Amino acid sequence: MAGCGRKDGTEINEAVCLLLAISQHFCEVQCFAPNRPQTEVIDHLTDEQEANEERNILKEAARIARGKVLPIEEFKADDFDALLFSGGYGVAKNLCNYAYKGADMEVQPDVARAIMEMHAAKKPIGGMCIAPVLFVKLIPGVCVTLGSDGTADADNVFKMGANHVQTEHGDVVADNENRVFTTPAFMLDATLKDIYDGAYNLIDAILEEK
């Protein structure tokens, strides 16, 4: 997780739909988040940055996870069958700096370690919304979706040496070679049902591939 709230943390609707989809597939889950300050704090009512406020990513993520969240430093690929990311601008601000640097982005080292450990172990990695940019930066030639072709985000996928597939609501792009699975979520103009469908289908695709 990347905090709590779509403008500076984890997108709450996506996270809850993903957690629900995992539960509906009778799988267990453990949430993780970085234990450090958010890059920004945004007033979600006014869209204004709160220049004098500081929030911790891990503590904010605990709001969604009902306190059951661990520092990402404690993540070990050997202990898990899959690694999943919901979206929200916090992914692009707190887990990497895509929001500020675009195709020249860097992934935070603790997040990069978790992803690359799973990739090396050939275990599934899934992402919703903007989260696939993490995989694009770290896994050469990976195939993902960020929703529509022809957008600045889709163009950045190609600039970083990866492949982009246009998708509609609920679609999942499965890169079976890299074991990476992505769905557009709120990268498209979506309803809550659309988000749920994408989350459910994402888990379906991962379990079918296994």
Side-chain angles (χ1 to χ4, degrees):
M1 291 183 169
C4 180
R6 72 180 182 89
K7 297 174 183 176
D8 57 10
T10 288
E11 213 299 324
I12 299 169
N13 291 314
E14 291 179 4
V16 171
C17 286
L18 184 58
L19 290 169
L20 175 59
I22 293 168
S23 178
Q24 288 179 317
H25 284 84
F26 304 101
C27 298
E28 297 180 1
V29 64
Q30 173 62 58
C31 296
F32 291 88
N35 186 15
R36 58 172 177 270
Q38 293 181 188
T39 305
E40 299 176 349
V41 177
I42 304 296
D43 183 326
H44 281 60
L45 188 60
T46 65
D47 277 348
E48 297 294 327
Q49 183 175 353
E50 299 281 3
N52 297 319
E53 185 172 350
E54 184 176 287
R55 296 192 182 189
N56 179 278
I57 302 168
L58 181 67
K59 290 181 179 180
E60 291 298 297
R63 295 175 182 269
I64 303 174
R66 296 176 59 86
K68 296 179 180 179
V69 58
L70 297 174
I72 197 169
E73 291 83 2
E74 297 184 22
F75 177 86
K76 296 180 181 179
D78 288 345
D79 297 338
F80 296 93
D81 297 311
L83 176 62
L84 306 173
F85 294 82
S86 53
Y89 284 124
V91 172
K93 294 177 178 180
N94 300 328
L95 305 189
C96 67
N97 57 10
Y98 178 77
Y100 311 107
K101 292 194 173 182
D104 295 323
M105 64 172 279
E106 297 174 344
V107 181
Q108 290 287 348
D110 47 12
V111 178
R113 178 192 64 81
I115 292 171
M116 294 312 295
E117 280 186 6
M118 292 296 283
H119 183 61
K122 301 187 184 302
K123 293 183 176 182
I125 305 168
M128 304 175 69
C129 195
I130 195 64
V133 297
L134 300 169
F135 318 146
V136 167
K137 184 64 179 182
L138 296 171
I139 304 172
V142 69
C143 186
V144 302
T145 186
L146 293 176
S148 300
D149 282 337
T151 65
D153 293 313
D155 290 345
N156 281 334
V157 170
F158 291 113
K159 288 178 183 177
M160 289 189 277
N163 297 295
H164 183 267
V165 177
Q166 179 163 309
T167 46
E168 300 297 333
H169 299 301
D171 288 348
V172 175
V173 170
D175 182 335
N176 291 309
E177 181 177 351
N178 287 299
R179 307 199 77 183
V180 169
F181 303 82
T182 55
T183 190
F186 277 120
M187 294 302 287
L188 301 174
D189 185 11
T191 67
L192 185 59
K193 181 184 182 303
D194 295 329
I195 301 306
Y196 169 75
D197 288 344
Y200 191 92
N201 294 340
L202 182 69
I203 304 303
D204 252 1
I206 289 172
L207 293 178
E208 286 177 5
E209 195 271 347
K210 285 175 66 65

